[in-house]
Amino acid sequence: MAVLFLYVATIIVSSFLFLYVHHHRRNSCRTPLLIDWPILGMLPQLLGNLWQFHDYVTNLLRQKGGTGEFMGPWFTNMNYIFTCDPLNVHHIMSENFDNYVKGSNFQEIFEPFGGGSVAADSETWKYRRASMQSMMRKMSFERMSEKSIQKKLQNCLLPILDHACSHEKVLDLQEVFSRLMFDETSIMILGYDPKSLSIEFPLIKAEKAFKEVMESIFYRNTVPISVWKFQKWLQIGNEKKLTEACKVFDQFLYSHISEKRQELIISKCNKSSDDDSLLSDIMMTTDQNGKMVFDDDKFVRDVAFNLYAGGRDTITSGLTWFLWLVATHPSVEAKILEEIKENFDAIDGKKRKVLGIEDVKKLIYLHGALCESLRLFPPIPIERKQSLKSDTLPSGHRISPNTSIILFTYAMGRFEEAWEKDCLKFKPERWISEKGKIKHISYYKFFSFNAGPRICLGKDVALFQMKIVAAAILRNYHIQVVENHPVTPAQSILLLMKHGLKVNIARRQV
Ligand code: HEM
């Protein structure tokens, strides 16, 4: 009863403080405050600043020299160390890797990820990562995704942009990318094209549900575990939304898993020649005795879910912020176009509307501009870890066993000590050496793809896909952001734009 009372009291008092701080936010919260309230700790400020969460924490970390402590409400296990110091990141992600795990808190919060590699730890994670890596190699993931993204651009994206030009229609580019990547990810994983990217923008329930799952997980990160668990138990608010969204998305995945199993049973595990899907490869993996290793549908569902999470919204986010930056920096746009012109238009007279992997490897400035955009707007803005044993970070902060640590990727890209005084400037030249080659910058400093043994498995695929899409759009169209369109991050575990990216599009003259 006492615990119940504490939950309710915490919710009520937090809500009042939230409303109070939210009401006064424009006057008072641009400058961070750090008050450790009795009982409620620093949570009211966090909730009051959710609307500007990433910038708020970045400012706090700047004031704290890169590492600070967040004290949550009493008895809620919500105390964190948060850091954007590259030395701490190197220590946690590599030097003392075995001491820092995703941990039980992460697994509970990221429950919809199931047993896939993103939430797994120790031997399970090692095994899952190695299987994923070998499957991606075996099915020549890069070549397959090149072929399928080129086809999608030719048949869907470019016709939609043409249609928008002809009808002078305002387009939400984020929505366009989100649909493009949902289709692309579905083709790669399930071998099925849901065709969510078409001129009518049809409502695809699974696509919408996936977005809601990501938003709900973000919310779980911002309140005490006891609060969201209580909501889950009552099936109210955000937790009700999460349960319903998971159900819709799982139904979508399981129906494809069961269809694929039937196909494989009928064909006695002989994949048809046009079935390139990752799902078939996973299901057909056998041990020395010819027994299927992954005959558990839940496991296959978890792998698929993790790949949707890893590959879909990350690229959507990366492309959206990139095109917004380019559209608002005409000098960068001119340099990208100049580079494309020098390498291709002068040779093939703009015959090919869509380039390939080998082509985009030549575009050094475009590479710099993309990395610069991923530095300022990392699609996954936060990484969570939990310590096993006590330790001391290079910044001098003491870590006790079971301490939750949040690595703020967003703040890392804006940390002056790592990137110099002009770190807030969009400057692709940062990534180009004096000899005009790509400059390698340590992943412990450019943390957008993670670093160390858990570095993103899809970073090369992601970069070339983004380059192919960006080059196809910029080479053929001029993009103008709608006047006064508000550009702010959404409250999600992925750095998407809250109001989308509304643009007008015009064809470029040949
Ligand atoms: C711009 C695009 C992308 C970004 C910024 C990105 C970033 C990241 C980050 C930060 C992680 C670490 C997550 C964590 O451990 O909490 C990660 C892991 C991972 N990513 Fe990506 N990713 C991108 C695209 C992709 C794509 C296209 C794929 C698949 C084809 C992919 C597959 C994975 C996988 C499988 C993991 C788990 C690795 C492990 O746990 O060992 N990613 N990614």
Side-chain angles (χ1 to χ4, degrees), residues 194-212:
K195 297 195 171 58
S196 72
L197 183 63
S198 69
I199 287 170
E200 304 78 36
F201 277 36
L203 173 73
I204 307 279
K205 279 193 192 156
E207 195 254 358
K208 182 168 169 273
F210 188 77
K211 209 179 280 170
E212 287 172 358

mmCIF file with all atom_site columns, all heavy atoms in Angstrom, residues 194-212:
data_model
loop_
_atom_site.group_PDB
_atom_site.id
_atom_site.type_symbol
_atom_site.label_atom_id
_atom_site.label_alt_id
_atom_site.label_comp_id
_atom_site.label_asym_id
_atom_site.label_entity_id
_atom_site.label_seq_id
_atom_site.pdbx_PDB_ins_code
_atom_site.Cartn_x
_atom_site.Cartn_y
_atom_site.Cartn_z
_atom_site.occupancy
_atom_site.B_iso_or_equiv
_atom_site.pdbx_formal_charge
_atom_site.auth_seq_id
_atom_site.auth_comp_id
_atom_site.auth_asym_id
_atom_site.auth_atom_id
_atom_site.pdbx_PDB_model_num
ATOM 1   N N   . PRO A 1 194 ? 6.044  -3.668 -49.009 1.00 0.00 ? 194 PRO A N   1
ATOM 2   C CA  . PRO A 1 194 ? 4.704  -3.229 -48.584 1.00 0.00 ? 194 PRO A CA  1
ATOM 3   C C   . PRO A 1 194 ? 4.191  -2.037 -49.395 1.00 0.00 ? 194 PRO A C   1
ATOM 4   O O   . PRO A 1 194 ? 3.048  -1.615 -49.211 1.00 0.00 ? 194 PRO A O   1
ATOM 5   C CB  . PRO A 1 194 ? 4.903  -2.851 -47.111 1.00 0.00 ? 194 PRO A CB  1
ATOM 6   C CG  . PRO A 1 194 ? 6.354  -2.747 -46.883 1.00 0.00 ? 194 PRO A CG  1
ATOM 7   C CD  . PRO A 1 194 ? 7.093  -3.389 -48.014 1.00 0.00 ? 194 PRO A CD  1
ATOM 8   N N   . LYS A 1 195 ? 5.054  -1.463 -50.243 1.00 0.00 ? 195 LYS A N   1
ATOM 9   C CA  . LYS A 1 195 ? 4.676  -0.343 -51.131 1.00 0.00 ? 195 LYS A CA  1
ATOM 10  C C   . LYS A 1 195 ? 4.056  0.825  -50.357 1.00 0.00 ? 195 LYS A C   1
ATOM 11  O O   . LYS A 1 195 ? 3.016  1.373  -50.759 1.00 0.00 ? 195 LYS A O   1
ATOM 12  C CB  . LYS A 1 195 ? 3.726  -0.818 -52.223 1.00 0.00 ? 195 LYS A CB  1
ATOM 13  C CG  . LYS A 1 195 ? 4.346  -1.861 -53.154 1.00 0.00 ? 195 LYS A CG  1
ATOM 14  C CD  . LYS A 1 195 ? 3.523  -2.018 -54.417 1.00 0.00 ? 195 LYS A CD  1
ATOM 15  C CE  . LYS A 1 195 ? 4.158  -2.859 -55.473 1.00 0.00 ? 195 LYS A CE  1
ATOM 16  N NZ  . LYS A 1 195 ? 4.525  -4.218 -55.176 1.00 0.00 ? 195 LYS A NZ  1
ATOM 17  N N   . SER A 1 196 ? 4.688  1.179  -49.245 1.00 0.00 ? 196 SER A N   1
ATOM 18  C CA  . SER A 1 196 ? 4.166  2.321  -48.483 1.00 0.00 ? 196 SER A CA  1
ATOM 19  C C   . SER A 1 196 ? 4.553  3.630  -49.161 1.00 0.00 ? 196 SER A C   1
ATOM 20  O O   . SER A 1 196 ? 3.928  4.660  -48.948 1.00 0.00 ? 196 SER A O   1
ATOM 21  C CB  . SER A 1 196 ? 4.678  2.287  -47.042 1.00 0.00 ? 196 SER A CB  1
ATOM 22  O OG  . SER A 1 196 ? 6.045  2.605  -46.998 1.00 0.00 ? 196 SER A OG  1
ATOM 23  N N   . LEU A 1 197 ? 5.604  3.589  -50.006 1.00 0.00 ? 197 LEU A N   1
ATOM 24  C CA  . LEU A 1 197 ? 6.001  4.806  -50.728 1.00 0.00 ? 197 LEU A CA  1
ATOM 25  C C   . LEU A 1 197 ? 5.330  4.815  -52.090 1.00 0.00 ? 197 LEU A C   1
ATOM 26  O O   . LEU A 1 197 ? 5.804  4.206  -53.049 1.00 0.00 ? 197 LEU A O   1
ATOM 27  C CB  . LEU A 1 197 ? 7.534  4.860  -50.895 1.00 0.00 ? 197 LEU A CB  1
ATOM 28  C CG  . LEU A 1 197 ? 8.049  6.127  -51.569 1.00 0.00 ? 197 LEU A CG  1
ATOM 29  C CD1 . LEU A 1 197 ? 7.742  7.365  -50.743 1.00 0.00 ? 197 LEU A CD1 1
ATOM 30  C CD2 . LEU A 1 197 ? 9.542  6.057  -51.847 1.00 0.00 ? 197 LEU A CD2 1
ATOM 31  N N   . SER A 1 198 ? 4.207  5.516  -52.144 1.00 0.00 ? 198 SER A N   1
ATOM 32  C CA  . SER A 1 198 ? 3.558  5.714  -53.440 1.00 0.00 ? 198 SER A CA  1
ATOM 33  C C   . SER A 1 198 ? 2.862  7.067  -53.358 1.00 0.00 ? 198 SER A C   1
ATOM 34  O O   . SER A 1 198 ? 2.726  7.632  -52.263 1.00 0.00 ? 198 SER A O   1
ATOM 35  C CB  . SER A 1 198 ? 2.575  4.586  -53.737 1.00 0.00 ? 198 SER A CB  1
ATOM 36  O OG  . SER A 1 198 ? 1.484  4.679  -52.868 1.00 0.00 ? 198 SER A OG  1
ATOM 37  N N   . ILE A 1 199 ? 2.434  7.572  -54.506 1.00 0.00 ? 199 ILE A N   1
ATOM 38  C CA  . ILE A 1 199 ? 1.916  8.957  -54.551 1.00 0.00 ? 199 ILE A CA  1
ATOM 39  C C   . ILE A 1 199 ? 0.766  9.179  -53.572 1.00 0.00 ? 199 ILE A C   1
ATOM 40  O O   . ILE A 1 199 ? 0.644  10.233 -52.963 1.00 0.00 ? 199 ILE A O   1
ATOM 41  C CB  . ILE A 1 199 ? 1.523  9.311  -56.003 1.00 0.00 ? 199 ILE A CB  1
ATOM 42  C CG1 . ILE A 1 199 ? 2.811  9.503  -56.808 1.00 0.00 ? 199 ILE A CG1 1
ATOM 43  C CG2 . ILE A 1 199 ? 0.676  10.583 -56.072 1.00 0.00 ? 199 ILE A CG2 1
ATOM 44  C CD1 . ILE A 1 199 ? 2.664  9.618  -58.283 1.00 0.00 ? 199 ILE A CD1 1
ATOM 45  N N   . GLU A 1 200 ? -0.023 8.136  -53.328 1.00 0.00 ? 200 GLU A N   1
ATOM 46  C CA  . GLU A 1 200 ? -1.196 8.303  -52.423 1.00 0.00 ? 200 GLU A CA  1
ATOM 47  C C   . GLU A 1 200 ? -0.797 8.289  -50.946 1.00 0.00 ? 200 GLU A C   1
ATOM 48  O O   . GLU A 1 200 ? -1.622 8.561  -50.091 1.00 0.00 ? 200 GLU A O   1
ATOM 49  C CB  . GLU A 1 200 ? -2.220 7.172  -52.636 1.00 0.00 ? 200 GLU A CB  1
ATOM 50  C CG  . GLU A 1 200 ? -2.729 7.007  -54.056 1.00 0.00 ? 200 GLU A CG  1
ATOM 51  C CD  . GLU A 1 200 ? -1.725 6.295  -54.960 1.00 0.00 ? 200 GLU A CD  1
ATOM 52  O OE1 . GLU A 1 200 ? -1.041 5.385  -54.471 1.00 0.00 ? 200 GLU A OE1 1
ATOM 53  O OE2 . GLU A 1 200 ? -1.623 6.669  -56.145 1.00 0.00 ? 200 GLU A OE2 1
ATOM 54  N N   . PHE A 1 201 ? 0.440  7.930  -50.625 1.00 0.00 ? 201 PHE A N   1
ATOM 55  C CA  . PHE A 1 201 ? 0.865  7.787  -49.222 1.00 0.00 ? 201 PHE A CA  1
ATOM 56  C C   . PHE A 1 201 ? -0.144 6.953  -48.422 1.00 0.00 ? 201 PHE A C   1
ATOM 57  O O   . PHE A 1 201 ? -0.772 7.447  -47.471 1.00 0.00 ? 201 PHE A O   1
ATOM 58  C CB  . PHE A 1 201 ? 1.010  9.164  -48.553 1.00 0.00 ? 201 PHE A CB  1
ATOM 59  C CG  . PHE A 1 201 ? 2.325  9.820  -48.832 1.00 0.00 ? 201 PHE A CG  1
ATOM 60  C CD1 . PHE A 1 201 ? 2.931  9.683  -50.068 1.00 0.00 ? 201 PHE A CD1 1
ATOM 61  C CD2 . PHE A 1 201 ? 2.970  10.588 -47.868 1.00 0.00 ? 201 PHE A CD2 1
ATOM 62  C CE1 . PHE A 1 201 ? 4.149  10.295 -50.347 1.00 0.00 ? 201 PHE A CE1 1
ATOM 63  C CE2 . PHE A 1 201 ? 4.184  11.202 -48.133 1.00 0.00 ? 201 PHE A CE2 1
ATOM 64  C CZ  . PHE A 1 201 ? 4.769  11.046 -49.381 1.00 0.00 ? 201 PHE A CZ  1
ATOM 65  N N   . PRO A 1 202 ? -0.347 5.681  -48.798 1.00 0.00 ? 202 PRO A N   1
ATOM 66  C CA  . PRO A 1 202 ? -1.362 4.883  -48.094 1.00 0.00 ? 202 PRO A CA  1
ATOM 67  C C   . PRO A 1 202 ? -1.008 4.667  -46.625 1.00 0.00 ? 202 PRO A C   1
ATOM 68  O O   . PRO A 1 202 ? 0.173  4.689  -46.264 1.00 0.00 ? 202 PRO A O   1
ATOM 69  C CB  . PRO A 1 202 ? -1.309 3.547  -48.846 1.00 0.00 ? 202 PRO A CB  1
ATOM 70  C CG  . PRO A 1 202 ? 0.066  3.486  -49.424 1.00 0.00 ? 202 PRO A CG  1
ATOM 71  C CD  . PRO A 1 202 ? 0.462  4.891  -49.728 1.00 0.00 ? 202 PRO A CD  1
ATOM 72  N N   . LEU A 1 203 ? -2.048 4.466  -45.811 1.00 0.00 ? 203 LEU A N   1
ATOM 73  C CA  . LEU A 1 203 ? -1.794 4.171  -44.400 1.00 0.00 ? 203 LEU A CA  1
ATOM 74  C C   . LEU A 1 203 ? -1.375 2.710  -44.297 1.00 0.00 ? 203 LEU A C   1
ATOM 75  O O   . LEU A 1 203 ? -2.128 1.809  -44.677 1.00 0.00 ? 203 LEU A O   1
ATOM 76  C CB  . LEU A 1 203 ? -3.054 4.408  -43.560 1.00 0.00 ? 203 LEU A CB  1
ATOM 77  C CG  . LEU A 1 203 ? -2.923 3.958  -42.109 1.00 0.00 ? 203 LEU A CG  1
ATOM 78  C CD1 . LEU A 1 203 ? -2.023 4.888  -41.318 1.00 0.00 ? 203 LEU A CD1 1
ATOM 79  C CD2 . LEU A 1 203 ? -4.279 3.840  -41.443 1.00 0.00 ? 203 LEU A CD2 1
ATOM 80  N N   . ILE A 1 204 ? -0.143 2.460  -43.825 1.00 0.00 ? 204 ILE A N   1
ATOM 81  C CA  . ILE A 1 204 ? 0.303  1.085  -43.605 1.00 0.00 ? 204 ILE A CA  1
ATOM 82  C C   . ILE A 1 204 ? 0.376  0.922  -42.091 1.00 0.00 ? 204 ILE A C   1
ATOM 83  O O   . ILE A 1 204 ? 1.211  1.564  -41.436 1.00 0.00 ? 204 ILE A O   1
ATOM 84  C CB  . ILE A 1 204 ? 1.699  0.838  -44.252 1.00 0.00 ? 204 ILE A CB  1
ATOM 85  C CG1 . ILE A 1 204 ? 1.710  1.245  -45.729 1.00 0.00 ? 204 ILE A CG1 1
ATOM 86  C CG2 . ILE A 1 204 ? 2.183  -0.595 -44.043 1.00 0.00 ? 204 ILE A CG2 1
ATOM 87  C CD1 . ILE A 1 204 ? 1.152  0.257  -46.710 1.00 0.00 ? 204 ILE A CD1 1
ATOM 88  N N   . LYS A 1 205 ? -0.505 0.095  -41.567 1.00 0.00 ? 205 LYS A N   1
ATOM 89  C CA  . LYS A 1 205 ? -0.642 0.000  -40.105 1.00 0.00 ? 205 LYS A CA  1
ATOM 90  C C   . LYS A 1 205 ? 0.678  -0.360 -39.430 1.00 0.00 ? 205 LYS A C   1
ATOM 91  O O   . LYS A 1 205 ? 1.031  0.190  -38.390 1.00 0.00 ? 205 LYS A O   1
ATOM 92  C CB  . LYS A 1 205 ? -1.696 -1.042 -39.760 1.00 0.00 ? 205 LYS A CB  1
ATOM 93  C CG  . LYS A 1 205 ? -3.098 -0.516 -39.870 1.00 0.00 ? 205 LYS A CG  1
ATOM 94  C CD  . LYS A 1 205 ? -4.019 -1.513 -39.217 1.00 0.00 ? 205 LYS A CD  1
ATOM 95  C CE  . LYS A 1 205 ? -5.469 -1.221 -39.541 1.00 0.00 ? 205 LYS A CE  1
ATOM 96  N NZ  . LYS A 1 205 ? -6.295 -2.411 -39.416 1.00 0.00 ? 205 LYS A NZ  1
ATOM 97  N N   . ALA A 1 206 ? 1.419  -1.314 -40.035 1.00 0.00 ? 206 ALA A N   1
ATOM 98  C CA  . ALA A 1 206 ? 2.664  -1.765 -39.406 1.00 0.00 ? 206 ALA A CA  1
ATOM 99  C C   . ALA A 1 206 ? 3.692  -0.631 -39.362 1.00 0.00 ? 206 ALA A C   1
ATOM 100 O O   . ALA A 1 206 ? 4.452  -0.503 -38.396 1.00 0.00 ? 206 ALA A O   1
ATOM 101 C CB  . ALA A 1 206 ? 3.232  -2.950 -40.177 1.00 0.00 ? 206 ALA A CB  1
ATOM 102 N N   . GLU A 1 207 ? 3.696  0.196  -40.373 1.00 0.00 ? 207 GLU A N   1
ATOM 103 C CA  . GLU A 1 207 ? 4.660  1.301  -40.448 1.00 0.00 ? 207 GLU A CA  1
ATOM 104 C C   . GLU A 1 207 ? 4.379  2.305  -39.317 1.00 0.00 ? 207 GLU A C   1
ATOM 105 O O   . GLU A 1 207 ? 5.269  2.744  -38.602 1.00 0.00 ? 207 GLU A O   1
ATOM 106 C CB  . GLU A 1 207 ? 4.527  1.954  -41.834 1.00 0.00 ? 207 GLU A CB  1
ATOM 107 C CG  . GLU A 1 207 ? 5.661  2.866  -42.216 1.00 0.00 ? 207 GLU A CG  1
ATOM 108 C CD  . GLU A 1 207 ? 5.296  4.324  -42.166 1.00 0.00 ? 207 GLU A CD  1
ATOM 109 O OE1 . GLU A 1 207 ? 4.143  4.676  -41.872 1.00 0.00 ? 207 GLU A OE1 1
ATOM 110 O OE2 . GLU A 1 207 ? 6.190  5.139  -42.376 1.00 0.00 ? 207 GLU A OE2 1
ATOM 111 N N   . LYS A 1 208 ? 3.087  2.617  -39.155 1.00 0.00 ? 208 LYS A N   1
ATOM 112 C CA  . LYS A 1 208 ? 2.670  3.570  -38.114 1.00 0.00 ? 208 LYS A CA  1
ATOM 113 C C   . LYS A 1 208 ? 2.954  2.976  -36.726 1.00 0.00 ? 208 LYS A C   1
ATOM 114 O O   . LYS A 1 208 ? 3.450  3.657  -35.824 1.00 0.00 ? 208 LYS A O   1
ATOM 115 C CB  . LYS A 1 208 ? 1.173  3.847  -38.289 1.00 0.00 ? 208 LYS A CB  1
ATOM 116 C CG  . LYS A 1 208 ? 0.609  4.833  -37.317 1.00 0.00 ? 208 LYS A CG  1
ATOM 117 C CD  . LYS A 1 208 ? -0.786 5.249  -37.753 1.00 0.00 ? 208 LYS A CD  1
ATOM 118 C CE  . LYS A 1 208 ? -1.491 6.024  -36.667 1.00 0.00 ? 208 LYS A CE  1
ATOM 119 N NZ  . LYS A 1 208 ? -2.200 5.164  -35.713 1.00 0.00 ? 208 LYS A NZ  1
ATOM 120 N N   . ALA A 1 209 ? 2.673  1.679  -36.587 1.00 0.00 ? 209 ALA A N   1
ATOM 121 C CA  . ALA A 1 209 ? 2.851  1.028  -35.286 1.00 0.00 ? 209 ALA A CA  1
ATOM 122 C C   . ALA A 1 209 ? 4.321  1.044  -34.865 1.00 0.00 ? 209 ALA A C   1
ATOM 123 O O   . ALA A 1 209 ? 4.652  1.305  -33.709 1.00 0.00 ? 209 ALA A O   1
ATOM 124 C CB  . ALA A 1 209 ? 2.348  -0.417 -35.354 1.00 0.00 ? 209 ALA A CB  1
ATOM 125 N N   . PHE A 1 210 ? 5.208  0.814  -35.836 1.00 0.00 ? 210 PHE A N   1
ATOM 126 C CA  . PHE A 1 210 ? 6.639  0.785  -35.512 1.00 0.00 ? 210 PHE A CA  1
ATOM 127 C C   . PHE A 1 210 ? 7.101  2.151  -34.964 1.00 0.00 ? 210 PHE A C   1
ATOM 128 O O   . PHE A 1 210 ? 7.856  2.228  -33.997 1.00 0.00 ? 210 PHE A O   1
ATOM 129 C CB  . PHE A 1 210 ? 7.443  0.395  -36.754 1.00 0.00 ? 210 PHE A CB  1
ATOM 130 C CG  . PHE A 1 210 ? 8.883  0.167  -36.459 1.00 0.00 ? 210 PHE A CG  1
ATOM 131 C CD1 . PHE A 1 210 ? 9.293  -1.009 -35.843 1.00 0.00 ? 210 PHE A CD1 1
ATOM 132 C CD2 . PHE A 1 210 ? 9.837  1.124  -36.739 1.00 0.00 ? 210 PHE A CD2 1
ATOM 133 C CE1 . PHE A 1 210 ? 10.614 -1.219 -35.519 1.00 0.00 ? 210 PHE A CE1 1
ATOM 134 C CE2 . PHE A 1 210 ? 11.169 0.917  -36.431 1.00 0.00 ? 210 PHE A CE2 1
ATOM 135 C CZ  . PHE A 1 210 ? 11.555 -0.257 -35.821 1.00 0.00 ? 210 PHE A CZ  1
ATOM 136 N N   . LYS A 1 211 ? 6.600  3.209  -35.603 1.00 0.00 ? 211 LYS A N   1
ATOM 137 C CA  . LYS A 1 211 ? 6.934  4.567  -35.151 1.00 0.00 ? 211 LYS A CA  1
ATOM 138 C C   . LYS A 1 211 ? 6.483  4.766  -33.698 1.00 0.00 ? 211 LYS A C   1
ATOM 139 O O   . LYS A 1 211 ? 7.195  5.310  -32.873 1.00 0.00 ? 211 LYS A O   1
ATOM 140 C CB  . LYS A 1 211 ? 6.216  5.562  -36.072 1.00 0.00 ? 211 LYS A CB  1
ATOM 141 C CG  . LYS A 1 211 ? 6.938  6.887  -36.228 1.00 0.00 ? 211 LYS A CG  1
ATOM 142 C CD  . LYS A 1 211 ? 6.203  7.814  -37.166 1.00 0.00 ? 211 LYS A CD  1
ATOM 143 C CE  . LYS A 1 211 ? 6.445  7.526  -38.635 1.00 0.00 ? 211 LYS A CE  1
ATOM 144 N NZ  . LYS A 1 211 ? 5.551  8.277  -39.535 1.00 0.00 ? 211 LYS A NZ  1
ATOM 145 N N   . GLU A 1 212 ? 5.287  4.286  -33.385 1.00 0.00 ? 212 GLU A N   1
ATOM 146 C CA  . GLU A 1 212 ? 4.747  4.457  -32.025 1.00 0.00 ? 212 GLU A CA  1
ATOM 147 C C   . GLU A 1 212 ? 5.552  3.663  -30.997 1.00 0.00 ? 212 GLU A C   1
ATOM 148 O O   . GLU A 1 212 ? 5.735  4.108  -29.868 1.00 0.00 ? 212 GLU A O   1
ATOM 149 C CB  . GLU A 1 212 ? 3.271  4.033  -32.004 1.00 0.00 ? 212 GLU A CB  1
ATOM 150 C CG  . GLU A 1 212 ? 2.401  5.048  -32.703 1.00 0.00 ? 212 GLU A CG  1
ATOM 151 C CD  . GLU A 1 212 ? 0.955  4.591  -32.882 1.00 0.00 ? 212 GLU A CD  1
ATOM 152 O OE1 . GLU A 1 212 ? 0.612  3.443  -32.492 1.00 0.00 ? 212 GLU A OE1 1
ATOM 153 O OE2 . GLU A 1 212 ? 0.186  5.388  -33.424 1.00 0.00 ? 212 GLU A OE2 1
#
